[in-house]
Amino acid sequence: MSLTDLLSPSDIAAALRDCQAPDSFSPKKFFQISGMSKKSSSQLKEIFRILDNDQSGFIEEDELKYFLQRFEGGARVLTTSETKTFLAAADHDGDGKIGAEGITCFKYR
């Protein structure tokens, strides 16, 4: 399964266009524009599984900076401040990594 099986390619493209400039990425806005905020919890968990590059069950800071590139290979890398802000917003237990429940939190924001 790929992200385009769950999200519209045009919505993904629009979300990536919205955050092309460094330090313009907002997880909440990206989730809204890409259509992720409209997905069920089970669909978001499947998206998380696809985004979890090393399949560890978590998205660590190293993986998170390449978040946009998981949607499109040529997308930019998140800046250090964007990565840290995203991590802080979704890391509920402060362990420095995001579990599937961390990603689903953006559905309700």
Side-chain angles (χ1 to χ4, degrees):
M1 182 171 285
S2 72
L3 288 170
T4 55
D5 292 329
L6 296 161
L7 301 170
S8 154
S10 62
D11 288 345
I12 291 171
L16 290 170
R17 271 192 311 275
D18 183 70
C19 62
Q20 279 183 322
D23 294 316
S24 66
F25 176 77
S26 161
K28 179 181 178 182
K29 193 171 182 186
F30 187 88
F31 274 56
Q32 290 170 341
I33 295 171
S34 70
M36 288 175 23
S37 62
K38 297 176 187 167
K39 298 299 176 186
S40 69
S41 292
S42 63
Q43 288 170 315
L44 283 174
K45 286 180 182 177
E46 182 60 27
I47 291 169
F48 175 86
R49 190 191 64 69
I50 295 167
L51 295 173
D52 180 11
N53 197 39
D54 64 4
Q55 298 300 298
S56 66
F58 299 96
I59 298 176
E60 295 88 4
E61 189 171 347
D62 295 8
E63 289 175 289
L64 196 57
K65 67 182 173 183
Y66 299 104
F67 177 81
L68 299 177
Q69 291 183 350
R70 300 295 290 155
F71 290 87
E72 181 182 282
R76 72 178 181 85
V77 174
L78 294 178
T79 65
T80 300
S81 63
E82 289 170 322
T83 303
K84 290 189 181 304
T85 300
F86 192 177
L87 184 62
D91 178 13
H92 297 296
D93 59 8
D95 65 356
K97 50 191 174 182
I98 302 170
E101 72 287 342
I103 290 295
T104 61
C105 78
F106 290 103
K107 176 181 173 91
Y108 306 106
R109 290 184 178 210

